[in-house]
Amino acid sequence: MADRIYNPNPELAKNAHCKSMEQYRSMHEKSIEYPEAFWGEIAKQFYWETPTSNDKFFSYNFDLNQGDIYIKWMEGATTNLSFNLLDKNVKCGNGDKIAFYWEGNDPDDYSKLTYKKLLQETCMFANVLKSKGVQKGDRVAIYMPMILELPVAMLACTRIGAVHSVVFGGYSSDSLAERMMDCKAKVLITADGVYRGEKLLLLKNICDDALAKVKAHGHEVESCVVVAHLRRLANPHGKTTAGDKKNGVNGTSNGGSSEPSVSWDDDRDCWWHEEMEEAEPSCYPVWVAAEDPLFILYTSGSTGKPKGVLHTTAGYLIYAATTFKYVFDYKPGDTYWCTADIGWITGHTYVVYGPLANCATSVIFEGTPFYPHNDRYWSVIDKYKVNQFYTAPTAIRSLMKFGDELVKKHDLSTLKVLGSVGEPINSEAWLWFYNHVGHGKCSIADTFWQTETGGHVITPLPGATPMKPGSATFPFFGVLPELLDEDGRVIEGEGEGYLVFRKPWPGMMRSLYGNHERFQTTYFDRFHGFYCTGDGAKRDADGYLWVTGRIDDMLNVSGHLMSTAEVESVLTEHQDVAESAVVSKPHPVKGQCLYCFVTPNEGRTFSKQLQDELKRKVREKIGPFAQPDVIQHAPGLPKTRSGKIMRRILRKIAIGDRNVGDVSTLADEGIVDVLFQLRPQA
Ligand code: WT7
């Protein structure tokens, strides 16, 4: 029944922020025709120390023929993010409202944080940062687990106008070092370690390696602040916690009762809780300009070198706030839960900034869907009476495997809106989510967006949009998508092509940190006058958009974007490897997985040992989530006479499809048969 249309639940539509397609269309039209009026009205909900003027509200150039690309919203205005997210909510009488419920890896370990307390912790940590010499514009690297100190650290940066760069806690020390060097971080904030399920991750040790690597390259991170998270698990009644702890883990649960040993550099390292003891509880906000940088977040680039996506202040704030409100139809009193790690853009916009800008109450979850049992997600929804639940197709697919029995054990009747993000959601997963988790009464928001877009750009609105499983449907306010053909001609009506955007919306990226040139060539050179997403999409007869996936050399494993070049460069670093080519192969749970073709050096054999070493190297250099599923022996690669690897053919070999199409441009056609013969038997 995938081609059926699913209408929003009338109960939900009745009171929704956007109640119908008519209302959606008229708001969308206004947002495109009169962006100043549309976003100016929204901006009034926030505090501006200095106002902007109407003629400077919005300016941009999207066309390289007209000069450099720029995007500016609310020029002239000054504000402070933490002030709008915290002080303002406290002043409005919401100081005692819960900002975050924290649910630990272990179900017995949980706590919560009110707006008032969050403000206080933020101010205190902002003072700690100041004591470390951090000033407006300085970069602060953050490598932390999903604990309450993570949003506190981010908000403390915004308090003083420092620029945070959060690196996902699953990245390797090499990846962390590369990112800290690129942004020249002054301070690094981390934790001693974290349990994910039964696995212990010693984050501080990874940081030590990364800091040494950075130093060897001539840059020095001056301070490293460490949250004693494992210690607090081992010693639940100690005074080391952010938040109001209700219950500790008992000393014999997986945290163990012995404190882990952590290596230490007295000149550089300090404990978070010790610094906080002496910190002043108030900190006057630094007013920053609308277009001052807010954060850098690295995302994979097709050259292999990560791109430091730069987001700025005012536009990001109003866009995060507005998408959160409309896409999840958040109402005061609701409890919202986004399972994404804060280390990804989803966590930035929809765990931290969007919810707090709406004075929302949300859940931050440290653990995994499978610990202690495979029903953890459902039990957390039940425990906190979650109303909006936002997760990824890969998680849904991996939970579907356990059947609906585990879902039925829990009361999920509070759910109103379900969200999906990270990759196209297949209709089986959509329908399972809709029927078994949402009991056929919740809307599903299949939200298409990117690190670069800052917030949702194509998405249904739960009270308005009739849904089609697998379609992200229609553009959000301010967004004007087009489909282009190879020659850059606009495709009208039904069709398939490159997904691009014609105009900037407030939350889109402004540049790549330290490399505006790369920003322009990556996103604006292929089609002049448009922002190019790198994704393909089709439009059906009803005007619905279906994002089909990447059309560049990028792949998406469990919602983690990576480039083939990034993995290839790790493989070819191995002394026994002459050449490699990496392609994606469809995977039932991960969406895509890595399939690597490896040509050994002369005189070297392609052994099981080599395969294991290569897999380990990718884990170490990039992160565990990037581990290849298959490494195949390739005595040669299918190349054109000019030497270009034909990945199209490799993708066919990876799935065992003999229908490889035209091979006449290959320098050596024979290699295709050889590669088919060498396919490992599953
Ligand atoms: C790429 C962006 C945005 C937060 C998570 C990923 C793919 C994302 C969808 C969706 C189809 C999707 C695209 C996009 N993608 N959401 N709902 N339907 N594809 O952020 O790491 O910057 O990856 O994820 O390919 O370009 P990201």
Side-chain angles (χ1 to χ4, degrees):
M1 292 298 279
D3 42 6
R4 191 187 126 185
I5 287 194
Y6 293 78
N7 283 308
N9 182 341
E11 276 305 300
L12 191 142
K14 204 161 61 190
N15 298 310
H17 291 301
C18 184
K19 299 176 172 57
S20 64
M21 279 309 269
E22 293 71 64
Q23 189 186 348
Y24 159 73
R25 281 195 206 98
S26 95
M27 288 177 76
H28 185 259
E29 205 174 291
K30 182 176 176 197
S31 71
I32 296 297
E33 303 235 331
Y34 310 103
E36 293 83 0
F38 185 88
W39 296 107
E41 195 56 38
I42 287 168
K44 281 187 195 150
Q45 299 155 23
F46 296 100
Y47 177 78
W48 309 94
E49 173 72 5
T50 323
T52 172
S53 58
N54 208 35
D55 55 320
K56 289 207 295 188
F57 194 90
F58 175 37
S59 63
Y60 74 100
N61 172 40
F62 249 29
D63 189 346
L64 276 176
N65 295 328
Q66 314 284 317
D68 281 345
I69 305 298
Y70 67 89
I71 301 127
K72 290 180 185 167
W73 288 88
M74 297 188 72
E75 234 191 322
T78 63
T79 190
N80 180 282
L81 252 285
S82 74
F83 187 88
N84 274 298
L85 270 41
L86 305 174
D87 306 60
K88 191 176 133 289
N89 290 330
V90 171
K91 280 187 214 302
C92 292
N94 287 309
D96 293 324
K97 186 168 176 179
I98 306 293
F100 293 121
Y101 287 108
W102 180 74
E103 172 82 4
N105 181 60
D106 195 299
D108 291 332
D109 198 18
Y110 55 91
S111 67
K112 60 190 180 197
L113 201 53
T114 62
Y115 273 89
K116 198 162 63 194
K117 192 87 191 337
L118 182 56
L119 171 60
Q120 190 192 329
E121 301 262 334
T122 296
C123 288
M124 286 167 74
F125 195 67
N127 288 325
V128 172
L129 289 175
K130 282 202 266 185
S131 77
K132 303 286 167 199
V134 178
Q135 295 177 351
K136 177 170 185 278
D138 286 343
R139 273 81 53 217
V140 174
I142 300 179
Y143 185 72
M144 289 171 91
M146 288 287 279
I147 56 179
L148 292 172
E149 285 85 352
L150 173 49
V152 170
M154 294 161 79
L155 292 162
C157 288
T158 73
R159 192 76 177 173
I160 58 174
V163 181
H164 61 68
S165 173
V166 183
V167 178
F168 170 59
Y171 273 114
S172 66
S173 67
D174 278 314
S175 298
L176 173 59
E178 185 177 22
R179 285 157 178 75
M180 287 196 290
M181 273 181 305
D182 188 79
C183 73
K184 305 223 159 31
K186 190 165 195 167
V187 171
L188 169 63
I189 308 165
T190 188
D192 47 3
V194 65
Y195 276 95
R196 297 252 317 146
E198 269 153 17
K199 229 174 76 195
L200 173 63
L201 216 76
L202 292 170
L203 296 174
K204 173 60 164 60
N205 293 358
I206 298 172
C207 287
D208 286 341
D209 281 352
L211 290 165
K213 283 170 191 157
V214 169
K215 203 166 174 180
H217 280 85
H219 173 68
E220 187 151 10
V221 177
E222 292 168 24
S223 316
C224 179
V225 186
V226 188
V227 176
H229 182 52
L230 287 179
R231 286 196 171 195
R232 140 174 96 200
L233 293 177
N235 174 22
H237 304 297
K239 251 194 73 187
T240 56
T241 183
D244 167 20
K245 181 161 276 208
K246 264 283 151 59
N247 203 344
V249 276
N250 65 53
T252 53
S253 71
N254 70 7
S257 56
S258 61
E259 288 185 6
S261 68
V262 170
S263 63
W264 210 254
D265 173 343
D266 279 329
D267 294 331
R268 186 195 65 195
D269 302 343
C270 59
W271 288 110
W272 172 293
H273 60 280
E274 288 178 8
E275 299 291 313
M276 290 289 265
E277 266 169 31
E278 285 146 38
E280 287 288 325
S282 69
C283 173
Y284 191 74
V286 171
W287 305 113
V288 303
E291 285 298 339
D292 275 344
L294 174 64
F295 66 81
I296 300 163
L297 183 60
Y298 286 87
T299 187
S300 295
S302 53
T303 62
K305 190 177 157 11
K307 302 177 293 199
V309 171
L310 181 76
H311 284 284
T312 58
T313 302
Y316 178 82
L317 168 64
I318 57 178
Y319 200 70
T322 310
T323 47
F324 178 81
K325 172 178 164 182
Y326 285 95
V327 174
F328 300 115
D329 197 44
Y330 186 86
K331 300 283 175 41
D334 285 348
T335 300
Y336 158 90
W337 179 25
C338 167
T339 65
D341 193 286
I342 292 176
W344 307 111
I345 189 69
T346 308
H348 280 57
T349 310
Y350 300 113
V351 177
V352 181
Y353 291 109
L356 295 178
N358 284 275
C359 197
T361 295
S362 43
V363 178
I364 289 188
F365 175 48
E366 179 186 42
T368 87
F370 318 110
Y371 182 84
H373 305 292
N374 296 323
D375 62 346
R376 187 67 187 280
Y377 274 7
W378 323 128
S379 95
V380 172
I381 292 172
D382 191 349
K383 173 173 175 183
Y384 294 99
K385 308 286 166 234
V386 169
N387 305 107
Q388 292 90 358
F389 176 61
Y390 192 25
T391 194
T394 184
I396 300 165
R397 286 192 299 263
S398 63
L399 292 169
M400 273 168 77
K401 287 190 311 198
F402 306 114
D404 54 346
E405 290 308 307
L406 288 182
V407 188
K408 281 199 193 120
K409 275 173 57 188
H410 303 276
D411 176 8
L412 307 187
S413 61
T414 49
L415 289 172
K416 296 190 287 191
V417 178
L418 304 173
S420 167
V421 61
E423 54 178 311
I425 180 166
N426 48 313
S427 51
E428 294 83 351
W430 196 101
L431 290 169
W432 189 82
F433 204 25
Y434 184 81
N435 289 319
H436 298 290
V437 181
H439 298 109
K441 65 177 187 55
C442 297
S443 288
I444 294 191
D446 174 1
T447 60
F448 168 82
W449 61 298
Q450 307 175 299
T451 305
E452 292 87 339
T453 69
H456 308 138
V457 282
I458 300 178
T459 175
L461 299 183
T465 317
M467 296 161 280
K468 296 191 186 187
S471 168
T473 74
F474 301 106
F476 191 73
F477 308 137
V479 176
L480 205 54
E482 301 280 7
L483 302 182
L484 303 183
D485 69 14
E486 279 294 333
D487 304 317
R489 277 186 300 255
V490 172
I491 299 166
E492 309 276 1
E494 241 179 301
E496 183 162 4
Y498 293 85
L499 175 65
V500 300
F501 297 112
R502 198 187 264 286
K503 273 164 82 92
W505 55 97
M508 80 171 293
M509 72 188 300
R510 301 300 195 260
S511 189
L512 289 175
Y513 185 75
N515 200 343
H516 199 66
E517 196 55 44
R518 188 177 180 199
F519 167 67
Q520 301 191 144
T521 49
T522 308
Y523 303 103
F524 294 93
D525 209 15
R526 177 75 172 83
F527 302 111
H528 286 194
F530 300 94
Y531 165 85
C532 185
T533 60
D535 285 295
K538 57 179 200 251
R539 192 190 291 114
D540 69 17
D542 301 326
Y544 280 68
L545 290 167
W546 303 70
V547 179
T548 47
R550 304 294 307 185
I551 41 178
D552 48 17
D553 290 334
M554 304 291 285
L555 31 90
N556 191 326
V557 179
S558 303
H560 301 325
L561 205 59
M562 56 192 92
S563 71
T564 54
E566 196 175 2
V567 181
E568 285 161 8
S569 85
V570 175
L571 297 174
T572 45
E573 266 175 31
H574 193 287
Q575 55 187 23
D576 290 353
V577 174
E579 203 174 15
S580 73
V582 175
V583 296
S584 67
K585 181 187 167 187
H587 184 281
V589 172
K590 299 193 243 185
Q592 297 184 332
C593 67
L594 293 169
Y595 194 111
C596 311
F597 294 86
V598 163
T599 310
N601 271 317
E602 274 302 310
R604 299 285 157 180
T605 49
F606 184 82
S607 59
K608 173 82 172 63
Q609 188 194 341
L610 177 62
Q611 293 175 51
D612 291 345
E613 278 173 27
L614 291 173
K615 284 185 184 173
R616 181 158 40 91
K617 229 164 131 56
V618 175
R619 289 175 66 92
E620 279 170 14
K621 290 275 169 177
I622 303 175
F625 56 85
Q627 166 154 306
D629 277 41
V630 183
I631 301 206
Q632 172 177 341
H633 183 202
L637 293 167
K639 290 183 186 169
T640 61
R641 280 173 198 86
S642 62
K644 196 175 180 303
I645 297 171
M646 293 188 73
R647 288 168 200 283
R648 172 176 67 77
I649 293 174
L650 292 175
R651 279 192 285 267
K652 292 282 188 180
I653 296 168
I655 58 173
D657 179 357
R658 286 269 172 185
N659 234 326
V660 293
D662 182 20
V663 292
S664 61
T665 55
L666 285 181
D668 169 17
E669 289 180 33
I671 194 67
V672 177
D673 271 339
V674 174
L675 291 177
F676 268 110
Q677 277 153 27
L678 288 170
R679 282 186 83 234
Q681 300 307 315

